[in-house]
Amino acid sequence: MKAFAACALLGAAALSAQPPGPSFPVRIDVDAARPQGGLAPIWRFFGADEPNYATMQDGRRLLGELGGLRPGQVYFRAHNLLTTGDGTPAFKWGSTNAYTEDAAGRPVYDWTILDRIFDAYRAAGVRPYVEIGFMPQALSLHPVPYRHHWPRGGLATGWSYPPTDYHRWAELVYRWTEHCVRRYGADEVARWYWEVWNEPNLPAYWHGSAEDFFRLHDYAVEAVRRALPAARIGGPDSAGAGGPFLRRFLAHCARGVNAATGGRGTPVDFLSFHAKGRPEYRDGHVRMGLDVQLRAVDEGFALIASYPEFRDKPIVIGESDPDGCAACVGPQLAYRPGTLYASYTADCLAREWELAGARGVHLQGALTWAFEFEGQPYFSGQRVLATNGIDLPILNVFRLYSRLGTARVQAASSGEIPLAEVMARGVRGRPDVGTLATAGPGRLAVLVWHYHDDAVPGPAADVRLNVTGLAAAGSTVALEHFRIDERHSNAFAAWKRMGAPPKPTPAQYDALREAGALQTLGAPRRLAVADGQVTLRFALPRQAVSLLVFHWPAAGR
């Protein structure tokens, strides 16, 4: 851990110390009067291996930040919701003790810890994306050893096995769903997402066959729907696009024999798979793998679209991340605390929208698998949104996206790399300076990112932004310019400037909290509008992200 932290700090310090070179011109044209369709808020999904952090001090605070992005529309997915244990979290571990058996072998249900977790979500304005798993010890086909102690030893212990009794498994799921309906109300629970297990196509998470999983899934779906017929349930949250496994799952749900009912097919309200990038450490720096992640996204979209029964179903990329292990650390993961993670995510989300449009599929969510690890050293290197209650730049990307509207308007950048080129070769030559924009009554929001796969110095973009279609705005508009870069919305950079104190003083801590908040590039200002047009210029450093929000009095207000 210490070696990794030192490596990350030295690499980041070397990057910021080198001169970036002369800037290069980029022209961005936005037409606020030319609609381009809707923009679904796919960014509003989050998750973590460890469910119990949600009930701890920093976890509750961070949940509140997530819920505040768009109250009632943010969702959280967690592993280990049915795992046996006392609720003490660890890396890649959590538990609720929801199901045990007494001395006579009779089921004992206890929702105490689960209620604490879901209550914490709801208090923060967050809704559950309920992952039904993992296997309680008393139901596991191979119960010993049950708990892993990752990274020591193997991950796939007794929690990863099929049940000894599928009827008892179904009864557990039924009673849990029924309890949620009683506690939170049928209308509320019908707004949740329900799915079974995690990455059942990987032996690290599922020690059974594909047919065993289909059976597990069928019994769970029947149980959820028996307790709440209106429940929204899907899956399979496969590792990667799923390939042959996802094909078999889709065929089973469309036309297979349902193991629980004996009928044909299994109800599906949404489909989910995972897509991860592949960062490397080479020549003394991190190189990201945006192309790898986008190809996985496209593969999943194409596979689902190939089934007429599912082409119009909503899709959630149930884990959408630059790499595959939130709890891991290493030199190739040194991108996480700074602006590289932020600019990567800003670019990736926009490309996922673009891919969905190209494939004609209904993308509803792209879930970021990052939360927090309570009690770890400051900026210790895991993939998180905050460290010890201090927000990282990546969280500010979601604050930017939350300020976008849902009605897209025409926006084009001379610095944007075509999608096909990004998917084929990544962003390893010229940088990607891209944009998207939304408009609503009295408001226009323009997002701009400057991204490159390599964590090496590069020149800033000299952006000339030309906005047209503002005839209804009158003679002036107000502008707020939000920014994520080395000097704005960046607690990690502020911490380094302090000398990277392992235990910040109270004054330093308060300063870091302030540095982690979303900040503007200067004070709000007014701009003159001429013939419905505004033009402005600004510098956008490499790995920085800007959101420019224009305001004017809306007609009739």
Side-chain angles (χ1 to χ4, degrees):
M1 180 80 70
K2 291 180 179 178
F4 164 70
C7 175
L9 286 172
L10 288 172
L15 173 60
S16 61
Q18 297 182 43
S23 62
F24 61 95
V26 172
R27 179 185 172 98
I28 294 178
D29 293 294
V30 175
D31 189 342
R34 186 167 295 185
Q36 298 291 299
L39 190 72
I42 62 173
W43 50 267
R44 60 198 167 96
F45 293 77
F46 302 91
D49 293 62
E50 306 83 4
N52 306 102
Y53 288 132
T55 64
M56 302 178 77
Q57 176 179 316
D58 291 337
R60 287 181 181 273
R61 191 207 65 81
L62 182 53
L63 275 180
E65 295 291 337
L66 298 181
L69 296 174
R70 193 157 293 186
Q73 298 184 48
V74 174
Y75 287 85
F76 198 91
R77 175 175 179 253
H79 298 340
N80 294 297
L81 291 178
L82 294 178
T83 305
T84 302
D86 63 4
T88 301
F91 288 131
K92 290 185 170 290
W93 179 260
S95 57
T96 66
N97 230 40
Y99 179 93
T100 55
E101 294 178 359
D102 64 17
R106 293 183 294 258
V108 177
Y109 306 101
D110 185 345
W111 315 119
T112 304
I113 297 176
L114 275 167
D115 286 349
R116 285 191 208 127
I117 294 168
F118 285 5
D119 286 355
Y121 294 172
R122 298 304 301 124
V126 172
R127 288 193 159 106
Y129 181 122
V130 185
E131 179 187 311
I132 305 172
F134 294 124
M135 194 58 61
Q137 186 170 16
L139 279 179
S140 174
L141 194 64
H142 190 86
V144 179
Y146 184 72
R147 175 172 176 173
H148 66 73
H149 295 278
W150 185 90
R152 302 190 307 276
L155 185 67
T157 47
W159 58 268
S160 65
Y161 283 80
T164 55
D165 187 322
Y166 282 87
H167 293 285
R168 288 200 174 197
W169 162 255
E171 186 66 12
L172 165 61
V173 176
Y174 169 76
R175 288 181 180 245
W176 181 22
T177 310
E178 184 184 48
H179 171 77
C180 289
V181 170
R182 286 198 308 269
R183 187 174 183 85
Y184 303 103
D187 290 344
E188 169 62 30
V189 179
R191 298 186 182 198
W192 301 0
Y193 291 78
W194 294 76
E195 57 90 13
V196 184
W197 222 257
N198 176 67
E199 299 186 342
N201 56 330
L202 280 188
Y205 283 96
W206 180 242
H207 262 58
S209 66
E211 288 72 20
D212 291 332
F213 173 72
F214 301 156
R215 188 179 183 191
L216 185 88
H217 182 266
D218 289 351
Y219 272 91
V221 170
E222 186 280 329
V224 171
R225 283 287 180 83
R226 179 159 36 102
L228 182 63
R232 173 168 50 186
I233 191 159
D237 272 287
S238 58
F245 177 88
L246 184 56
R247 288 190 181 278
R248 291 174 67 184
F249 175 83
L250 295 173
H252 172 80
C253 291
R255 302 179 288 272
V257 176
N258 188 297
T261 67
R264 177 176 174 173
T266 305
V268 176
D269 297 308
F270 69 94
L271 292 161
S272 55
F273 63 90
H274 298 172
K276 306 283 188 175
R278 190 182 302 151
E280 305 172 312
Y281 189 76
R282 54 165 61 198
D283 301 325
H285 71 272
V286 175
R287 167 172 282 184
M288 305 296 283
L290 180 59
D291 55 323
V292 176
Q293 182 170 351
L294 293 178
R295 286 197 297 269
V297 171
D298 191 49
E299 180 185 348
F301 288 169
L303 202 161
I304 291 168
S306 71
Y307 282 77
E309 302 95 330
F310 302 119
R311 183 177 183 86
D312 295 327
K313 292 287 184 184
I315 296 172
V316 178
I317 308 171
E319 295 181 22
S320 178
D321 303 293
D323 70 86
C325 180
C328 298
V329 295
Q332 79 280 11
L333 305 177
Y335 72 87
R336 291 168 165 177
T339 56
L340 183 51
Y341 188 9
S343 57
Y344 177 104
T345 302
D347 200 336
C348 187
L349 283 166
R351 301 302 187 161
E352 288 169 338
W353 270 307
E354 192 174 355
L355 282 170
R359 288 292 182 184
V361 297
H362 179 194
L363 178 60
Q364 200 166 74
L367 191 151
T368 294
W369 199 254
F371 189 52
E372 65 104 18
F373 291 95
E374 204 93 7
Q376 292 298 306
Y378 286 80
F379 305 97
S380 57
Q382 289 82 21
R383 191 173 69 238
V384 293
L385 305 176
T387 174
N388 290 283
I390 297 167
D391 300 337
L392 297 181
I394 179 60
L395 184 54
N396 284 312
V397 168
F398 300 110
R399 291 181 173 129
L400 295 184
Y401 268 103
S402 74
R403 285 166 167 78
L404 287 175
T406 56
R408 192 166 184 171
V409 295
Q410 182 173 291
S413 169
S414 66
E416 185 162 310
I417 301 175
L419 176 61
E421 182 180 335
V422 175
M423 292 177 64
R425 295 184 288 276
V427 185
R428 294 170 186 175
R430 60 191 174 108
D432 186 40
V433 184
T435 187
L436 59 85
T438 64
R443 191 176 188 275
L444 171 71
V446 182
L447 185 73
V448 187
W449 58 88
H450 181 177
Y451 172 72
H452 197 284
D453 275 341
D454 289 304
V456 297
D462 179 11
V463 177
R464 179 182 176 89
L465 173 62
N466 184 51
V467 179
T468 57
L470 296 175
S475 61
T476 64
V477 292
L479 171 64
E480 287 183 289
H481 187 160
F482 299 95
R483 168 62 66 82
I484 303 169
D485 61 21
E486 278 298 298
R487 290 285 174 179
H488 300 86
S489 316
N490 190 340
F492 180 56
W495 181 68
K496 289 187 294 178
R497 289 194 293 271
M498 289 178 180
K503 293 184 178 180
T505 66
Q508 288 175 325
Y509 184 85
D510 290 343
L512 291 171
R513 285 288 304 273
E514 183 176 352
L518 181 61
Q519 299 168 3
T520 56
L521 187 67
R525 57 194 174 112
R526 299 201 70 83
L527 302 175
V529 178
D531 298 322
Q533 179 172 317
V534 166
T535 299
L536 67 152
R537 293 178 64 175
F538 59 91
L540 188 67
R542 180 175 284 205
Q543 315 302 12
V545 186
S546 273
L547 179 72
L548 298 97
V549 182
F550 301 85
H551 300 273
W552 60 92
R557 293 188 180 181

